[in-house]
Amino acid sequence: QVQLAESGGGWVQPGGSLRLSCAASGVTFSVYRMSWYRQAPGKERELVARIFGASGITNYQYSVKGRFTIFRDNAKNLVYLQMNSLKPEDTAVYYCNANRVERGIPSDYWGQGTQVTVSS
């Protein structure tokens, strides 16, 4: 059974930093594209950052470029989101996602989410 478990959320003042972690189990982690999404109250879930399994290529939402870094440790089945220079508008529930398409069949898994609150 595939499980994704996020941790590392919490409260931080504007300008502060947090590191989110996502531990994956039940999957061949290295072949999955791993992503962080977030959902703020009253808003749709949006992609924050993505990292591909084989190449390590990363993509970022424009609003977090230069502030957030996604990286992974395939040996430990972990993906991280380092968040620096946090802003109040970064407040949201952050979700870890694992995705792959094999022979045209998608596999898509989500964690339960972790709350990040940025306020003074």
Side-chain angles (χ1 to χ4, degrees), residues 20-97:
L20 306 182
S21 301
C22 173
S25 60
V27 295
T28 305
F29 182 76
S30 61
V31 303
Y32 278 78
R33 180 179 67 187
M34 300 300 298
S35 304
W36 286 96
Y37 285 75
R38 67 186 180 187
Q39 188 167 18
K43 295 187 177 181
E44 293 188 353
R45 191 171 297 189
E46 61 180 5
L47 175 66
V48 176
R50 172 173 292 161
I51 184 167
F52 291 84
S55 65
I57 291 174
T58 58
N59 301 128
Y60 294 92
Q61 183 193 108
Y62 180 80
S63 68
V64 308
K65 275 186 177 181
R67 300 189 298 122
F68 291 10
T69 303
I70 186 171
F71 57 103
R72 63 193 295 163
D73 184 337
N74 287 338
K76 297 181 178 179
N77 286 11
L78 289 166
V79 62
Y80 302 93
L81 185 68
Q82 177 65 43
M83 305 185 294
N84 299 328
S85 302
L86 282 160
K87 303 176 181 180
E89 51 263 43
D90 295 318
T91 295
V93 178
Y94 283 70
Y95 297 91
C96 178
N97 172 264

